[in-house]
Every structure is written in C-alpha cells, then in structure tokens.
Amino acid sequence: MDGGATMKSVSVEYFALFRDRAGRSQETVETTAEDALALFQELEHRHATSDPRGHCKVAINGKMAEWSDAVNDGDTVLLFPPVAGG
Amino acid sequence: MDGGATMKSVSVEYFALFRDRAGRSQETVETTAEDALALFQELEHRHATSDPRGHCKVAINGKMAEWSDAVNDGDTVLLFPPVAGG
Amino acid sequence: MSMEISYAPIDTAGLRREMADVTAGGFVVFEGWVRNHNEGREVRALEYEVYKPLAISEGERIIAEVIEQTGAIAARAVHREGALELGDSAVWVGVISAHRDEAFRACREIIDRIKVELPIWKKEHYVDGDSGWVNCERCAKHGHAHAHSH
Amino acid sequence: MSMEISYAPIDTAGLRREMADVTAGGFVVFEGWVRNHNEGREVRALEYEVYKPLAISEGERIIAEVIEQTGAIAARAVHREGALELGDSAVWVGVISAHRDEAFRACREIIDRIKVELPIWKKEHYVDGDSGWVNCERCAKHGHAHAHSH
C-alpha cells in the first residue's frame, strides 16, 4: 500500500472569510493529503489558518464531514470558517 | 376594645364559579367578621367552599389582599375562585 | 400600557410592529391557543371572565418585575375576554431584549405568572354539551368537580 | 419543508397562519433582529452568506431531532440570506406544542443550534466604514481579528 503518496485531484471551495483571504471561491488542487485536516493545512497559504479543529467545519461531497475523514480523488471539499447564524 | 363584635356593612362581589353558585354577583352583608377569611367562611352557604387558602384569592377595596387582612365597615370585598388564565 | 385585556381578536402583527426597537437583538413571543381538547375532553369553545381593573394592574406589576429581574428591554401582554373559538389566540406575550436569553426567560416567567396570578377564569364548553370552570376542582365541596350545566 | 433560506424579508404573519393547528395549545416564536450595535461597535447594516444546500439539510435535521427530544408538535425556521438593514428579522423560529413547556424548550434549542451548526456567515458593516466577518477571531492567524476592509 502506498495510498498515502497517491496524487489526487480535489475541488476545493472557500466560503466567507476564507474566500476573501484566498481571493477565489473555488480551485482544483493536486494533493497527496490523506484526510481533510492534511488538505486544510496544505492550503494554509490560502486561508491563513493553522488549525481548523473546534471552530471551522468541512463538508465533503455535499455532506458535513470530520477533519479526520479521508479525501479521495475527485472529491469536492468545502472549507467553512467559523459560522455565525441568527 | 370590642372591635370583634362590631357589626359592619360590607359589599361582597362573587366571580365566575362563585357567582354561579351564589346566584348573584354582588350583595351587601352585615357581619362581625374581623378578617377576610372569617367573612369568606361566614358566606360558605353562597360559594360552597370551606377553606379558600392556597387556591382562592381575595381583593379588598380594589387591591389584592391576604385572607388575614382586616375587613372594615364600608369595604368592598371581591371573592375570586381559582384562576385559570392563558 | 404593557398589559391589555381585549374583547377583540389579538392583532399579533400590529403588536409585533409596535415592539420594533433597533437596540433589540432578540424577540420572543408566546401565544396560548384554544385547542380542541383538554384533560381528555373534546372542547368546542370557551369563554374567559376577567376582572379587568386588577388583571391590568397585576399584569403591569408582573411585567415590570420580570423586566427588572431579567434585564429584558420591554414586554407586553394581551389577554382575551369573552367568547373564544377553537384556534383563537387567548393570550399573547412578547418580549424584546439585547440577547435572546433574557427574552426567553422573561417571556416564560410572564406567561407562567399570568396563568396563576391574574383574576381570569376560563369556562370550557365541551362537544358533549357539558361545560365547566377550569381549575375549580379544589374549590368544590359537594363532591362534583365542575359546575356542570347540561 | 421545515427549514427555509430566504432572500426576501420574512413573512412572519404568513408563517404564523401556516402553523395554525387546533391540537396545539402553545406557540412560541423567536426572532433575531439586526440591531444597531454589537460588541461595542455601531452597526449600520449586515449581510449573511449561506451555503444553502447544507444549511437547509442540517436545519431540517436539527428541527427533526429537537421535535423528537421535546415532544413538540411541529417547528419551522427561516433564515435570511444577503443584505439586511437595521431592524430586519434575520431569523425566525416557530414551534407549536400541546403545552407551553415543550414549545419554549424546543424553540430555544433550535435557535441555539442554528447559530452554531449551520453554514451561515455574518458580515457586519459598521458606522465608521469598517466591516468584518463575525466570530472569525479564532481563525485569524495574522494578528488581526477581522478581515477589515476600509
């Protein structure tokens, strides 16, 4: 198994503050990140946040996900900064 | 002092169930009752309730009162069965 | 005037407009509706008897006390009097506050106190033709719970 | 559909009518209003960004869970999206139940969860010309709390 080193193509979408910081709402990235956390950290130059756990959320392929969830080739990953409804 | 035996004239008003039972909404009674509780018990043949404490209320001269409050000549006493607002 | 007794249906939209306040972030409303059953009996309609002078003054006192206790900005309440039909709003309590916690607590406290402290009596008319004053079980001495009238 | 995201102002009177139910005795509503200040700053207007597909599905899940937990009869929520002015209703949550306790508890729980679980972001525009995303203090790495734009 060398799954950890496999290059994957992932569509990333940025929202609110993250979109403002990244200067874009969507991009396709080539990555070897195994989970959502690793992908998020690889993209720190875009969203300028070192650790999302506890205050940022992630969705994968249209469903809320955990930061430890796997990221696979062809996935769409949505990066949500801290929410503030109401 | 023989205040306890003084005959007083008091206007009594009955509400809701008490009015239905008394068959009248108001009457003037001559009484020697010293407090509201004694007056209420004197009128048991009207409202058919032996003890009002804890579930019935009384007002004297336009203000909510206690059952231990004095009743004086010329007072208006309102007898309230258990309330059920809302 | 924060407490009102109304023969007419409660104008809930008008009350909401009148409470508008740009310093308020939270608005909580409670409405009590006439429902078609109570304690296992089918209800057809009901009527409220209100001793207005004291219902108003006691209601105003409750609202002032609860605003003081909770720190809410303002509160208003309206209670119906007379004949009501199924689905009618019998009571409306609205509270505004800076944050939602005060408004929730104040609204709950006001309706809880209105139900037990104001001189208001409810007579239910049942589908079977019977009727009775609600809550009068404890003031009955002669072995029947309600003043039934067939 | 119990959760709705709306660009248009919330039709509170229409929502109230739609919740009418003769088995319900209690109706509790929470509205969040845009107020003219927040955390010591004067607010001029604000905008909500919403990721609609998940805001709706997560909102429906929250409402279903809370109805199950509390025993309320039904609940609905509407959240605004886009530009809002002072005094606008940003969110509306309505719950009906047989008795008032369930409606109060359910309404409170739904608004508490909507505020922290749905993908909704609020940008405040201040009177001084500044603006910023609310709640982003913790995701800021570079020493300034908001993404300020003058």
Side-chain angles (χ1 to χ4, degrees):
Chain A
M1 293 279 296
D2 61 346
T6 305
M7 188 59 73
K8 296 169 275 196
S9 179
V10 174
S11 172
V12 176
E13 296 186 25
Y14 300 98
F15 292 84
L17 178 66
F18 286 169
R19 185 189 54 246
D20 288 357
R21 287 186 179 166
R24 68 203 66 201
S25 58
Q26 190 275 336
E27 66 182 331
T28 300
V29 300
E30 304 297 314
T31 180
T32 58
E34 288 200 46
D35 61 18
L37 180 62
L39 175 67
F40 185 88
Q41 285 171 335
E42 209 175 277
L43 294 167
E44 187 176 336
H45 62 289
R46 296 288 196 216
H47 50 66
T49 304
S50 50
D51 194 338
R53 289 172 291 191
H55 58 285
C56 302
K57 295 180 201 292
V58 60
I60 301 177
N61 300 333
K63 290 200 154 73
M64 296 306 299
E66 302 294 326
W67 288 108
S68 57
D69 284 356
V71 168
N72 297 305
D73 187 54
D75 280 356
T76 295
V77 177
L78 314 182
L79 300 182
F80 296 154
V83 302
Chain B
M1 293 280 294
D2 63 344
T6 305
M7 187 60 73
K8 295 169 276 196
S9 179
V10 174
S11 172
V12 177
E13 296 187 23
Y14 301 98
F15 292 85
L17 178 66
F18 286 169
R19 185 189 54 247
D20 287 358
R21 287 186 179 166
R24 68 203 67 200
S25 58
Q26 190 275 336
E27 67 183 331
T28 300
V29 300
E30 303 298 312
T31 181
T32 58
E34 288 199 46
D35 60 18
L37 179 61
L39 176 66
F40 185 88
Q41 286 169 334
E42 211 173 276
L43 295 166
E44 188 176 335
H45 61 289
R46 297 291 197 216
H47 50 66
T49 303
S50 50
D51 194 337
R53 288 172 290 190
H55 58 287
C56 301
K57 295 181 202 290
V58 61
I60 301 176
N61 300 332
K63 291 200 154 73
M64 297 306 299
E66 303 295 325
W67 288 108
S68 58
D69 284 356
V71 169
N72 297 304
D73 186 55
D75 280 356
T76 296
V77 178
L78 314 183
L79 300 183
F80 296 155
V83 303
Chain C
M1 191 145 97
S2 60
M3 180 79 219
E4 218 178 299
I5 303 296
S6 171
Y7 265 111
I10 298 173
D11 175 14
T12 58
L15 287 163
R16 178 183 177 279
R17 266 195 307 277
E18 288 170 21
M19 296 208 75
D21 182 333
V22 290
T23 69
F27 175 49
V28 173
V29 172
F30 172 79
E31 290 186 33
W33 291 349
V34 180
R35 61 195 185 120
N36 62 1
H37 62 290
N38 190 30
E39 294 180 8
R41 303 191 69 169
E42 283 183 273
V43 175
R44 169 174 67 74
L46 56 78
E47 56 186 284
Y48 283 101
E49 176 174 339
V50 180
Y51 182 64
K52 242 170 140 160
L54 277 172
I56 290 171
S57 61
E58 292 294 294
E60 305 254 327
R61 185 176 60 76
I62 290 167
I63 288 170
E65 285 177 11
V66 172
I67 286 176
E68 172 75 23
Q69 284 159 15
T70 58
I73 296 171
R76 279 183 71 176
V78 183
H79 200 293
R80 290 288 299 279
E81 174 176 19
L84 275 74
E85 294 176 10
L86 297 186
D88 280 357
S89 186
V91 58
W92 183 98
V93 178
V95 180
I96 57 170
S97 61
H99 301 100
R100 68 190 182 285
D101 186 57
E102 305 96 89
F104 271 107
R105 286 188 297 120
C107 189
R108 179 65 193 261
E109 180 73 8
I110 290 167
I111 184 61
D112 284 358
R113 293 186 60 182
I114 280 178
K115 282 179 173 257
V116 298
E117 294 185 31
L118 301 197
I120 297 177
W121 301 273
K122 173 160 60 177
K123 190 179 217 170
E124 289 179 338
H125 297 275
Y126 305 106
V127 169
D128 62 15
D130 206 3
S131 68
W133 293 102
V134 175
N135 267 9
C136 274
E137 292 82 358
R138 288 171 303 176
C139 60
K141 184 197 175 193
H142 299 307
H144 58 91
H146 295 273
H148 290 164
S149 59
H150 290 269
Chain D
M1 190 146 99
S2 61
M3 180 79 220
E4 217 178 299
I5 303 296
S6 171
Y7 264 111
I10 298 173
D11 175 13
T12 58
L15 287 162
R16 178 183 178 280
R17 266 194 308 277
E18 288 170 20
M19 296 207 76
D21 182 333
V22 290
T23 69
F27 174 48
V28 173
V29 172
F30 172 79
E31 290 188 33
W33 291 349
V34 180
R35 62 194 185 121
N36 62 3
H37 61 290
N38 190 28
E39 294 180 8
R41 303 191 69 168
E42 283 183 273
V43 175
R44 169 174 67 75
L46 55 78
E47 56 186 287
Y48 284 100
E49 175 174 339
V50 179
Y51 183 64
K52 242 170 142 160
L54 277 172
I56 291 171
S57 62
E58 291 294 295
E60 305 254 329
R61 185 176 59 79
I62 289 167
I63 288 170
E65 286 177 10
V66 172
I67 286 175
E68 172 76 21
Q69 284 159 15
T70 59
I73 296 171
R76 280 184 69 175
V78 183
H79 200 293
R80 291 287 302 279
E81 173 177 21
L84 275 73
E85 293 177 10
L86 297 185
D88 280 357
S89 187
V91 58
W92 184 97
V93 178
V95 180
I96 57 170
S97 61
H99 300 101
R100 67 189 182 286
D101 185 57
E102 306 93 90
F104 271 108
R105 286 189 295 119
C107 189
R108 179 64 193 261
E109 180 72 8
I110 290 168
I111 184 61
D112 285 358
R113 292 186 61 182
I114 280 179
K115 282 179 174 258
V116 297
E117 294 185 31
L118 302 197
I120 297 177
W121 301 273
K122 173 160 61 178
K123 190 178 218 171
E124 289 179 337
H125 296 276
Y126 304 105
V127 169
D128 64 14
D130 206 4
S131 68
W133 293 102
V134 175
N135 267 6
C136 275
E137 293 80 359
R138 288 171 304 177
C139 59
K141 183 197 175 191
H142 298 308
H144 59 90
H146 294 273
H148 290 164
S149 59
H150 291 269

